[in-house]
Amino acid sequence: MKKLSLKAVVFDFDGTLAKLNIDFSAMRQDVLALLSRYGVSPDGLRDLFVLEMIAAGEDRVSRLRPGEGAEFSKRACARIAEIEVQAARQGSLFDGVTEMLRELRARNIRTGVATRNCLAAVETLFPRIDDHVDAVITRERTPFVKPHPEHLIRMLKQLDVPPDRAAMVGDHPMDIQTGRDAGARTIGVLTGYSQAEALHRAGADFLLDGAADILDILA
């Protein structure tokens, strides 16, 4: 197998570096319940990812009740952050993650975490993450989250590495889509929410059992 020569590796967090067991169903239900209190119909929103659901809900609230959209969004984001932090308190890093990050640094490969999670959840589970990676961009730190490529592009600018010398590593097809759209190599891992077939279908260049196995495919 041809090995990768990279200057940077960017990781997703939940399902890639760590196991959080976030109850996304509860998140959606709570956001929809909050929408109903604003008198907004949930039609067409139930199948959205939760952040996209909040954005669409804010737009609907703003049109129905001018001036209250931002308040809805703030309350919804606070609720999903609460669920994330609760999950993070019970979560853990996958085996070998800290050792892998240490080895990447020893090889002068820059590292980052680009996640849709909130910063509080990441730091609850991985309190000294800044000691292990060069940059962390959570949803509060970017106007565009994955699968928008700007999330990864912003990270790579911060790491000062061009996309064609970087890889995006994640457990979800959106991570693969983000990497491809940003011009980076893509690596799927089987420790999270997606099966191998879905990651292959999304266009992953490589597929690994876990993020720590990336050391085996780097030149």
Side-chain angles (χ1 to χ4, degrees), residues 23-24 36 60 90 106 132 140 176 200:
D23 190 340
F24 290 105
S36 70
R60 291 190 184 185
Q90 305 301 318
H132 295 272
E140 304 97 328
I176 307 305
H200 276 307

Side-chain angles (χ1 to χ4, degrees), residues 12 52 114-116 144-148 151 168 174-175 178:
D12 172 53
E52 287 73 12
T115 175
R116 288 164 58 99
F144 301 101
V145 294
K146 300 178 296 182
H148 197 294
H151 197 162
M168 178 73 218
M174 77 164 57
D175 298 308
T178 302

Side-chain angles (χ1 to χ4, degrees), residues 140-157:
E140 304 97 328
R141 294 176 169 179
T142 176
F144 301 101
V145 294
K146 300 178 296 182
H148 197 294
E150 180 61 27
H151 197 162
L152 178 56
I153 290 169
R154 179 178 291 257
M155 168 64 74
L156 295 177
K157 286 179 179 177

Side-chain angles (χ1 to χ4, degrees), residues 13 17 93 97-99 101-102 105 111 113 119-136 141:
F13 191 68
L17 296 182
L93 294 175
V97 163
T98 54
E99 294 83 0
L101 294 172
R102 190 179 304 120
R105 180 163 287 176
T111 55
V113 170
L119 181 61
V122 172
E123 292 184 336
T124 294
L125 196 154
F126 199 170
R128 301 187 65 180
I129 189 170
D130 289 330
D131 292 342
H132 295 272
V133 301
D134 297 299
V136 178
R141 294 176 169 179

Side-chain angles (χ1 to χ4, degrees), residues 37-199:
R37 291 199 284 274
Y38 283 84
V40 173
S41 170
D43 291 347
L45 301 183
R46 290 187 175 87
D47 294 331
L48 296 178
F49 292 119
V50 70
L51 295 181
E52 287 73 12
M53 180 186 289
I54 292 172
E58 179 178 0
D59 181 65
R60 291 190 184 185
V61 171
S62 295
R63 285 188 275 113
L64 183 67
R65 301 170 68 163
E68 297 186 31
E71 176 192 67
F72 159 78
S73 182
K74 182 178 180 179
R75 293 175 65 187
C77 287
R79 177 55 186 147
I80 68 169
E82 181 182 1
I83 293 173
E84 286 176 341
V85 171
Q86 288 172 348
R89 292 192 183 109
Q90 305 301 318
S92 61
L93 294 175
F94 290 119
D95 291 343
V97 163
T98 54
E99 294 83 0
M100 176 267 294
L101 294 172
R102 190 179 304 120
E103 177 61 20
L104 290 176
R105 180 163 287 176
R107 297 187 191 187
N108 294 316
I109 296 174
R110 295 179 66 76
T111 55
V113 170
T115 175
R116 288 164 58 99
N117 293 128
C118 67
L119 181 61
V122 172
E123 292 184 336
T124 294
L125 196 154
F126 199 170
R128 301 187 65 180
I129 189 170
D130 289 330
D131 292 342
H132 295 272
V133 301
D134 297 299
V136 178
I137 299 183
T138 57
R139 64 171 177 261
E140 304 97 328
R141 294 176 169 179
T142 176
F144 301 101
V145 294
K146 300 178 296 182
H148 197 294
E150 180 61 27
H151 197 162
L152 178 56
I153 290 169
R154 179 178 291 257
M155 168 64 74
L156 295 177
K157 286 179 179 177
Q158 191 167 334
L159 296 177
D160 195 25
V161 174
D164 62 355
R165 298 305 308 278
M168 178 73 218
V169 183
D171 69 301
H172 195 283
M174 77 164 57
D175 298 308
I176 307 305
Q177 178 186 341
T178 302
R180 287 171 62 85
D181 289 348
R185 304 304 297 270
T186 56
I187 301 170
V189 295
L190 300 177
T191 45
Y193 299 100
S194 301
Q195 301 296 315
E197 181 180 353
L199 295 168

